[in-house]
Structure formats: C-alpha cells, structure tokens
Amino acid sequence: CKGDSVQLEASGGVSYSWSPIQTLSSNSISDPFAFPLTTTEYTVVGTDANGCVNDSVVTVEVFEVTTIPDTTICLGESVALSVQGSPGNVYLWSPTNNLSSFTIANPIATPSSTTTYVVSVTDVAGCQDQANVTITTLSAPQPNVTTTIEADCEGTTISFQNNTTNASSYTWTFGDGTNSYEESPTHLFNYDGTYSAVLVTTDPSGCNDTLTLFGNTLVFSELFSADPPNVFTPNGDGDNDLFEVALNPGIEECTSFVVFNRWGQLIFESDGSSISWDGKKANGSKVPEGTYFYIIDLNGVFYKGTMAIFR
C-alpha cells in the first residue's frame, strides 16, 4: 500500500550497490528497506570476493489508481469515467449526482456544470488510493431568431434574422427538406399553409443547440382587397375618382388587370402594377358612364366583377 515499506534482500556478494537510491534506507547494504510511492524497479549490483560482478532486479508494486485525463464536453453530453492502474474490488465516486452509478469502476457521467469527480478504490488487501478527474462543460450558443414574412409571386417569403451570439456555423433544415448554411437565410414557402424551420447553431468547440420554428404562411386571398368597389365617380373632385384594389407590393409584378365594356370590347389593361383605373382609355379619352366588366389575374388566380361609372 502507499506509505508502506518492504525489506529487500540480496545475497552472494561481499558488497552491494542498489539503484535508484531515492526511496531506499541505504543503497550499499544487502537488505535495505524500500518505501516507494509508485511501483518501482530496483536493481542491485553485487561483487564477490574475487571481484566478479552480477546484478539482479526486483519490482515493488505499489497499489495506485488513475482515471481518465481531464476532459471537456458540451453541456448535456456524457462521458465514460474509468479507473485504471491497480485492480480494486471497492469503488466509491463522489460527488454522486449525475453518475450512472457511484460504486463501479466505469460509470457514465452527465454533469450539469463543470465537476471534479474523485474516486476512492480499495483492493482485497485493504490498500486504498484515490484519483480525480475534472469534467469541464461548455454551454452551446443558444439560437435566437426573428422572422419577417413577405408576399411573393411564387409563395410566402420568410426572412430569418439570426441573432445568435458565439456561434461559428449554422445549419438550417426547412420543412420541404431543403437545407441552408447561411447565417440568416431567406426561404420560399407555399401560400395558405404552415412553415417549419430547424436551426442548429455550433460554436468553435463543436457544441451545438437546436431551435425549431413553425407558424402559418400568408393567406393568398388576404393579399388584396377582398371587396373591390362597384361604383366610382371619375369627375376630378378628389373623391372616389379611381377604381382601386389594394395589393400587397410583393404580388404586383405578377398581376394583370383588364376592363371591358358591355359589348366585350377591351377598354383598359395594365400589367405588373397596382390595380387602378381612372375611367379613361389608353389614349386618355374618357369612357362614357355605364357598367363595365373587369378581370383581375393574380398570378393565375382570376377574379371577375362589374363596376359602374358616374360622372
């Protein structure tokens, strides 16, 4: 056991020289006491009366244990501890929290913060030794994201503003199965549904955290006025002078608007702009009072109706 001593003994010579000498009571007698702190191999060189020389080796094994080197893990991860060195039959680890067992040689540790574990080991002869290991835990960068939702001719465009700090890489997985490694990506989703996005942030140490985002996409029918006017008075008095349908700016470029008279003749048309008509033909002449028919094409979705002009 550590702290014990043992008497060595050599014979056959008239003089002796032992090494190493640091943990011996004497290095020049036949039977010195050895008190090593760790397992040590001693060599003795003997000389007889005729000057003949020979040597011999003896190993003194000291009961001692070690464990794994100090280790750094990400918060939430686990690490396998283990006792190495001399075999024991009783093991006690402390602190006992966050261990799969505190009475075995190789428990699994899942510390919630940086922790130093100490293991005390006893063998069948009653020798005891201790070892310790520090498990350092690193916190992963916590994802922080805000979103901006906008209309687009092809669907709902969502911009993800990534406000995460201390991260070095980002992995986005969207609900349609596509990925992005940009810090703050923009992604197109279908109208009238839901969206989901998963962000994994990773720091330079390799620790990561995950954020799941989900919500509703824009409703296509809400991107324009659902109740266009059926009467307007384009007389220049500044009141109700235009037939207008409010559009979300994101879908103006895929919008067309046509007006027909009661005989089916095309009176007015516009493409890729807001839906607005001042009651004039393309050449600037005013159309007479009466009822007119319109067709609005919003990216392939058609809306039809009538309007009356009074001057």
Side-chain angles (χ1 to χ4, degrees):
C1 302
K2 277 188 177 181
D4 289 348
S5 62
V6 62
Q7 189 171 21
L8 309 181
E9 185 175 354
S11 61
V14 294
S15 65
Y16 302 93
S17 177
W18 292 86
S19 63
I21 66 175
Q22 291 82 1
T23 53
L24 292 173
S25 60
S26 173
N27 73 315
S28 58
I29 61 176
S30 63
D31 54 354
F33 281 91
F35 41 91
L37 298 177
T38 61
T39 297
T40 302
E41 183 180 86
Y42 293 97
T43 301
V44 59
V45 178
T47 304
D48 68 5
N50 300 313
C52 295
V53 177
N54 197 7
D55 62 69
S56 185
V57 174
V58 60
T59 299
V60 179
E61 292 187 1
V62 178
F63 179 78
E64 58 182 337
V65 296
T66 60
T67 184
I68 65 171
D70 291 345
T71 303
T72 298
I73 63 173
C74 300
L75 186 63
E77 292 182 344
S78 299
V79 60
L81 308 181
S82 66
V83 175
Q84 301 156 6
S86 302
N89 67 330
V90 176
Y91 302 90
L92 289 175
W93 292 86
S94 65
T96 60
N97 56 303
N98 300 314
L99 290 176
S100 60
S101 172
F102 63 92
T103 60
I104 61 175
N106 53 349
I108 302 299
T110 313
S112 57
S113 60
T114 297
T115 303
T116 297
Y117 292 98
V118 179
V119 60
S120 178
V121 184
T122 305
D123 72 357
V124 292
C127 293
Q128 188 178 75
D129 193 23
Q130 290 186 337
N132 62 73
V133 56
T134 297
I135 307 300
T136 301
T137 59
L138 300 178
S139 297
Q142 296 184 348
N144 182 351
V145 176
T146 56
T147 57
T148 302
I149 301 179
E150 298 178 338
D152 187 275
C153 284
E154 301 302 322
T156 299
T157 297
I158 301 182
S159 299
F160 298 92
Q161 178 58 49
N162 192 342
N163 305 307
T164 308
T165 58
N166 301 322
S168 58
S169 65
Y170 310 90
T171 302
W172 293 86
T173 302
F174 301 109
D176 56 9
T178 60
N179 298 318
S180 173
Y181 301 99
E182 298 179 32
E183 182 175 351
S184 298
T186 297
H187 196 71
L188 185 68
F189 297 90
N190 293 329
Y191 279 117
D192 304 348
T194 59
Y195 74 88
S196 65
V198 177
L199 168 63
V200 178
T201 55
T202 306
D203 68 8
S205 300
C207 297
N208 58 64
D209 200 356
T210 301
L211 174 67
T212 300
L213 301 166
F214 57 88
N216 295 320
T217 59
L218 295 176
V219 178
F220 188 79
S221 60
E222 296 177 355
L223 300 180
F224 56 93
S225 172
D227 186 23
N230 55 13
V231 175
F232 73 108
T233 57
N235 53 17
D237 63 359
D239 182 23
N240 197 27
D241 281 335
L242 297 174
F243 173 87
E244 286 185 302
V245 176
L247 288 179
N248 189 299
I251 62 171
E252 287 181 351
E253 64 182 38
C254 51
T255 300
S256 67
F257 171 53
V258 292
V259 179
F260 301 90
N261 61 19
R262 59 189 302 176
W263 295 281
Q265 296 171 320
L266 179 64
I267 301 299
F268 176 82
E269 63 179 332
S270 67
D271 293 303
S273 63
S274 60
I275 299 175
S276 177
W277 186 41
D278 59 1
K280 297 179 181 178
K281 296 180 180 180
N283 61 11
S285 62
K286 297 179 180 180
V287 301
E289 292 185 350
T291 299
Y292 295 84
F293 301 87
Y294 66 85
I295 299 175
I296 302 171
D297 178 0
L298 297 177
N299 200 27
V301 180
F302 294 91
Y303 298 88
K304 303 177 182 180
T306 61
M307 70 185 86
I309 293 180
F310 297 99
R311 295 191 181 279

